[in-house]
Amino acid sequence: MADKTVDRGPWTGCAVMFLQSLCPGVNLLSLFKDREQGKFIVFKVIKLTLIDSAGGLGGYEILKVHDADPFLGVEVKFEDVAACQQFLESYSSGAVRQSLSQHACRLLTLPQEFTVETQLKASTHILDLYLDKLELCLQHIHLSQPERLRDEEIEHLEEQLRTQARGPAPQPTPITQEEGPVPSHCFKFQNKVFEDRMLTAGDVQSFSNGVGRQWKHVGRALGKSCRALKGLAIDNLAYEYEREGLYEQAYQLLSRFIQAEGRAAKLSRLVKALEDCKLTSLAENILELQPRE
């Protein structure tokens, strides 16, 4: 359905997601307003949630994060109807709140489960009232065109994220000799050592949620060392699962890799492919589960 809708031509729209923490002692608005580090962490939580729920890094941009006391307002411009539709489906199913909770717990190092109240609006329309009518929600968002360009503050936060994803600058002298070799059952990513293992269902889900339209590029990178993904295999997957959307295409790609490679379908190979495709933020998101310092 989403792919057919894209053929309508250029499509833009705007929606505002309002967030309020329901956890005592955790005020998202205060964190974003009062502390530079808190501002960055809250923004990263929002950005990672959008990556999870809108199918990757493309098709939308955050224009502004503003004070809507007691809520924190996040104004999002959608530039692709498929990304907007996937976000709406994630929001309707509760996946957006779940993603917000998971990222907030990890990045804010909260001792308790994080719960958040959300509201989604397009202009004066509260979309929470129409979530069972996807086309109507898309229409309201499309009619609500953005009235501003992206804030300079958001540009600064986005650049901070890009800098963090690139990792620290190279050291003038090599440190590998002092550190010793990486164990054979481990691999290195951004100066951290991780224990290598077979890919899990959780890895497949995280990859499928976050890779978006870049899944083909990752597939071709994996195909350099996987016979099952060579030749027309990637294009055949795209055609076979076109109706199911980007998540299913990415899911089937990694599932086919695991099926073909068996015990050799290792985490290190996926991370290397993501690095080759400059998707370090997605690799970081997957790897932050089990780092080994």
Side-chain angles (χ1 to χ4, degrees), residues 139-154:
Q139 181 181 350
H140 285 319
I141 291 174
H142 181 45
L143 292 175
S144 175
Q145 291 297 312
E147 298 178 352
R148 60 167 64 89
L149 298 175
R150 175 185 280 186
D151 270 14
E152 289 185 5
E153 179 181 59
I154 301 301

Side-chain angles (χ1 to χ4, degrees), residues 20-34:
Q20 182 183 16
S21 167
L22 299 180
C23 293
V26 181
N27 188 313
L28 293 176
L29 180 58
S30 295
L31 277 172
F32 192 82
K33 287 170 60 176
D34 296 340

Side-chain angles (χ1 to χ4, degrees), residues 7-290:
D7 293 336
R8 296 171 183 170
W11 193 96
T12 60
C14 192
V16 181
M17 182 168 58
F18 296 94
L19 310 174
Q20 182 183 16
S21 167
L22 299 180
C23 293
V26 181
N27 188 313
L28 293 176
L29 180 58
S30 295
L31 277 172
F32 192 82
K33 287 170 60 176
D34 296 340
R35 291 169 46 204
E36 186 63 30
Q37 184 62 19
K39 183 187 295 290
F40 175 70
I41 291 175
V42 171
F43 181 79
K44 186 174 182 180
V45 168
I46 295 168
K47 183 74 173 185
L48 291 175
T49 298
L50 282 171
I51 291 172
D52 291 345
S53 58
L57 293 166
Y60 62 89
E61 64 172 337
I62 300 172
L63 296 181
K64 184 178 179 64
V65 178
H66 63 272
D67 182 348
D69 194 16
F71 290 91
L72 184 68
V74 183
E75 185 172 346
V76 182
K77 175 186 177 182
F78 290 97
E79 300 167 325
D80 182 290
V81 69
C84 186
Q85 177 170 314
Q86 184 159 341
F87 171 77
L88 283 171
E89 291 171 348
S90 298
Y91 186 89
S92 176
S93 69
V96 168
R97 285 189 296 275
Q98 183 179 4
S99 183
L100 278 166
S101 176
Q102 291 173 347
H103 291 305
C105 277
R106 177 169 53 85
L107 295 173
L108 294 171
T109 59
L110 301 176
Q112 77 275 30
E113 183 179 353
F114 179 80
T115 54
V116 61
E117 179 184 352
T118 63
Q119 186 181 84
L120 189 64
K121 295 184 71 174
S123 186
T124 60
H125 299 282
I126 301 175
L127 300 184
D128 302 74
L129 304 176
Y130 314 110
L131 291 176
D132 59 335
K133 300 174 182 177
L134 181 61
E135 285 294 336
L136 180 60
C137 290
L138 287 170
Q139 181 181 350
H140 285 319
I141 291 174
H142 181 45
L143 292 175
S144 175
Q145 291 297 312
E147 298 178 352
R148 60 167 64 89
L149 298 175
R150 175 185 280 186
D151 270 14
E152 289 185 5
E153 179 181 59
I154 301 301
E155 291 280 7
H156 175 67
L157 290 167
E158 290 277 11
E159 180 57 34
Q160 278 187 269
L161 274 178
R162 287 190 289 268
T163 301
Q164 187 183 77
R166 287 193 294 265
Q171 298 296 318
T173 55
I175 59 174
T176 51
Q177 293 180 354
E178 297 177 5
E179 293 179 345
V182 177
S184 59
H185 63 284
C186 298
F187 66 97
K188 201 168 187 179
F189 174 76
Q190 293 187 348
N191 291 329
K192 292 182 180 180
V193 176
F194 295 84
E195 187 170 352
D196 206 2
R197 54 171 171 75
M198 289 182 61
L199 291 170
T200 66
D203 298 327
V204 176
Q205 185 174 10
S206 295
F207 171 80
S208 305
N209 275 324
V211 72
R213 284 170 173 72
Q214 301 299 314
W215 72 269
K216 284 187 178 181
H217 299 295
V218 179
R220 293 188 178 100
L222 289 171
K224 293 176 182 178
S225 60
C226 176
R227 183 174 298 178
L229 298 179
K230 291 184 183 296
L232 296 175
I234 306 298
D235 292 332
N236 289 339
L237 275 174
Y239 178 77
E240 186 176 354
Y241 295 98
E242 181 181 12
R243 291 177 179 270
E244 282 76 10
L246 295 171
Y247 177 92
E248 188 63 25
Q249 289 170 329
Y251 184 92
Q252 293 297 330
L253 167 75
L254 216 50
S255 296
R256 187 157 301 185
F257 173 70
I258 293 171
Q259 182 179 9
E261 297 295 303
R263 292 184 176 276
K266 294 294 187 70
L267 180 63
S268 57
R269 294 175 69 182
L270 176 60
V271 170
K272 178 63 167 61
L274 292 171
E275 274 193 291
D276 291 346
C277 298
K278 303 188 186 306
L279 295 173
T280 51
S281 61
L282 180 54
E284 181 186 52
N285 192 32
I286 294 172
L287 284 172
E288 280 178 341
L289 297 174
Q290 296 182 14

